Amino acid sequence: MPVPRSLSARPAAPPHRLRPHRDDVLIAAAGLLGGLVMWSLDLYTVGPPREDPGWRPLVPLVVMTAAELLRRTAQPWALLPATAALVADQLSGSLLPTVLMFTDVVYAAVLYGSRRTARRVPQAGMLVTVASTAVSFAVWQQAEALVVGVLCGLLTVGPAWTGVLIRDHRDAAAAERLRAEQTALLAEMDRRQAVGAERARMARELHDVVANHLSAIAIHSTAALSLYGSGGEDGDPARSSLETIRGSSVQGLAEMRRLIGLLRDSEGDREPSAAPTLAGLDALVEQARSAGAADGLEFRLHNGAPDDGDVPAPVALAAYRIVQESLTNALKHAAPGPVEVRVEPQDGSLAVTVRSAFRPDPGARAPGAGAGLVGMRERAVLLGGVFGAGPLPGARTDGTGTGTWQVRAVLPLTNEEAP
């Protein structure tokens, strides 16, 4: 009967690891104790001996116990003395624990031994069984001699093929786990390639469409300023509007370049190297002040944030973007009056607060997608912070537009993961 090929997939135990396993120590101790009890009571498996064997059955018992200690870590060397101990046990008055420990050593030789041992032990067991059956029948010339072959098969072939089945099952399970890991790895590689391709496509679209439009705005606004000439006064609203358009388009182009660089980053796990910092809030508020002067908006900034080196880069970027989006919303929706921006530390966090008055007309000055509040909330939550936006107590939202609208985000300054 051939041995399954899957046996070759199980590696042998390292030969230098001879320390007995805890379970092997327990098995060996139980076998030794059981053998001593049966020896003390003169309980032998082959019946009462013709003469008192004395201490002779204890020698195979001790040798088998030592082989049992090494059943997992020293195969096939543990099987050799175990076989010799079994033969001596049968000649000196057999003890049942010695026989049972031998079957366990045979089983362990197949399960924990080398690939060669796992193939040879079942074959050797079948040869010994056939040979013992033939010799017994030839000597005794009786059918009862077949019982010897049956007992030999139970002691060798049975445990060996039990080990074969268990080892084959373990090898199949290990192969399935490996196949599952490989499948998951291939799926992750496909996902990353798909994400990378989509990011590259988005970068191309932003560069070819949005960036080109911003470039056109910057070029035409520059040309309009040059055509306007120096005849206009510094306080001329038309010239001021053209300068604001040009400044906003140039800054938008810079932001677009950073965004394109981020999308083309193959890893996708870092912000652009030239990401805005909290030190740029002054310029951001000044730009909003120029754009909102015609609508009666007065922008005020209180920047009490720590130095950029004391604020984690993700927190600084999120705070900058929240202020930027809040100022954009104020330019679209706020009523004439002050727009206050406060950035300050608070209990180990960075608090960002933007307040503005309601606009009596619920319509916006400029079109928008309505995703600004969603984006700000997502930035805060990803950092483990909290975000809130809405009217303060006492404000009226029935169309009269009286009261104050507040945007507030609290961003932790630690590097803890978001829940």
Side-chain angles (χ1 to χ4, degrees), residues 35 38-40 42 44 49 51-60 92-93 95:
M38 297 190 70
W39 173 76
S40 65
D42 293 332
Y44 300 98
E51 60 181 10
D52 184 12
W55 51 267
R56 285 179 295 173
L58 297 181
V59 176
S92 62
L95 295 173

Side-chain angles (χ1 to χ4, degrees), residues 1-12 107 109-123 160-172:
M1 184 180 298
V3 180
R5 295 288 297 174
S6 59
L7 289 176
S8 61
R10 181 160 183 94
Y107 165 80
V110 176
L111 186 60
Y112 302 113
S114 64
R115 292 173 292 182
R116 182 178 179 180
T117 302
R119 291 193 301 266
R120 295 294 178 84
V121 170
Q123 298 171 356
W161 278 99
T162 302
V164 168
L165 295 177
I166 299 300
R167 183 164 181 158
D168 182 64
H169 175 73
R170 291 186 177 182
D171 291 342

Side-chain angles (χ1 to χ4, degrees), residues 234-258:
D234 293 338
D236 191 345
R239 185 179 184 86
S240 177
S241 298
L242 288 174
E243 291 175 348
T244 300
I245 293 172
R246 182 183 181 280
S248 298
S249 61
V250 171
Q251 183 177 1
L253 277 173
E255 296 289 341
M256 187 63 63
R257 292 191 188 98
R258 284 192 287 267

